[in-house]
Amino acid sequence: MDINEKSFALGSKRSIIREIFEYSKTRAGEIGADKVFDFSLGNPSVEPPAEVDKAIKELLLTESATALHGYTSAQGDLAVRKAVSDNINSRFNLNLTPDYIYMTCGAAASLSICLNAVVNKGDECVVFAPFFTEYRVFVENAGAKLIVSMPEEKTFQINVSDLESKINENTKAIIINSPNNPSGVVYTEKTIKAVCELLERKQKEYGKVIYLIADEPYRELVYGNVSVPYLMNYYANTLVCYSYSKSLSLPGERIGYVAVNPQMQNAKNVYLAVCGAGRALGYVCAPSLFQRVILKCINAKVNVEAYEQNRNLLYNSLCEYGYECVKPDGAFYLFVKSPLESATAFYEMAKKFEILVVPCDDFGVSGYVRIAYCVDKKRIENSLPGFKKLAEILIKK
Ligand code: PLP
């Protein structure tokens, strides 16, 4: 074939989430959207904060259209990068300057950029199961090998001894995603400290840098008093991949950033490699209008309480019916042990009750499904009788 085989294979590969989404649309046409309980997509159900709407309107009225829709510098508008670095500094007690911020099209672009900035062919990158499935695509496309570290049983925290067994002289980076998609787990400070101590030790042992890539699109979505350790404060060689997709409910606008820790080894060169990777991948000049929106809305927040109410309703109900669930402290996913050995078999059975969940084998942990509860609360309420019946059939108490 006269095209790129790898890209062809990737484009043709069946995506279970896309398949469920298509099925959901067809089924909604047949029986009505209110009768289909689709929990497959991580699309925010909470509206962006009012400040976002106001900022867009103001910008359209007050700024010249050519400036507003024109190119910014490749790494992003200076004032926007300054707002981002000031925001990080004030929240996490750091000293970043705009020279360490690169505006991107969301966390997906941030991850691709960071990986392409630091890995060379033959390097390995460790991810923690369960993991966002796109990591495999991003890591392999950057030329590295994906290595999966298995979690602690039940808590789904990072298993530090398993991680140790996965690190060798080829390890170039690890990706930490907390709050986690698909488990909803927030890694504790104790876990983070243990991971960072291990990385420091391994860097010394192998006489090389191991980068920590923090994938943080869900940082702001946490419940109760849970706090998410800011990794630059624990480990110098950290790059942060941030996104406003979930924190401001703007996934379609494609806006986020990469922050390079100025304290890391050769920080200036790493930032230049980030700029170079952005250039090579075509991720230059993140959407101009939304860069300006971020400048005006840097402290805005979505209504996290709505997600917390959904979490409480779903988690409490499913536990009561006998399902084994991982309690999510953040993000908007519930990770549930499939009552059948095969998560796909459970997915098929739930479908008969018009409930659409995602079997998680591709996330690196078999026998679990993911329920995205970023939906209208009514959908959860109306789905509960179906979940209850499924439990009565499948779970022996
Ligand atoms: N990382 C994780 C863990 C995600 O769940 C997602 C999206 O769902 C992304 C990255 C990509 O986010 P973005 O839409 O900002 O590119």
Side-chain angles (χ1 to χ4, degrees), residues 105-109 111 132 135 177 181 215 217-218 243 245-246 254 333:
C105 304
L111 285 160
F132 179 49
Y135 288 166
N177 169 223
N181 172 12
D215 180 24
Y218 302 99
S243 161
S245 295
K246 323 282 170 166
R254 315 307 302 137
Y333 306 106

Side-chain angles (χ1 to χ4, degrees), residues 197-335:
E197 274 163 29
L198 172 66
L199 292 182
E200 296 287 4
R201 182 152 57 77
K202 290 288 168 186
Q203 288 194 130
K204 281 204 188 95
E205 186 180 332
Y206 297 120
K208 60 173 282 196
V209 172
I210 301 174
Y211 293 98
L212 197 170
I213 299 175
D215 180 24
E216 307 213 318
Y218 302 99
R219 161 165 288 280
E220 323 308 340
L221 308 188
V222 284
Y223 312 125
N225 293 325
V226 172
S227 69
V228 187
Y230 198 68
L231 300 185
M232 282 188 192
N233 282 325
Y234 295 82
Y235 187 72
N237 294 320
T238 295
L239 298 105
V240 173
C241 296
Y242 190 83
S243 161
Y244 296 95
S245 295
K246 323 282 170 166
S247 63
L248 292 183
S249 292
L250 294 172
E253 306 302 350
R254 315 307 302 137
I255 191 78
Y257 60 80
V258 170
V260 173
N261 188 356
Q263 303 302 323
M264 79 166 57
Q265 215 167 306
N266 294 320
K268 278 202 166 26
N269 288 352
V270 174
Y271 182 73
L272 290 175
V274 163
C275 295
R279 182 177 170 192
L281 293 165
Y283 288 133
V284 287
C285 175
S288 298
L289 172 59
F290 275 84
Q291 286 193 48
R292 261 73 161 214
V293 171
I294 296 308
L295 178 58
K296 284 179 172 280
C297 301
I298 196 94
N299 293 313
K301 289 185 169 58
V302 287
N303 175 14
V304 177
E305 229 174 77
Y307 293 132
E308 187 169 4
Q309 283 177 11
N310 284 0
R311 190 261 327 232
N312 292 346
L313 175 64
L314 193 65
Y315 175 77
N316 293 338
S317 306
L318 264 56
C319 289
E320 186 193 315
Y321 305 154
Y323 292 94
E324 213 177 286
C325 307
V326 181
K327 185 163 188 193
D329 280 326
F332 39 48
Y333 306 106
L334 183 67
F335 204 49

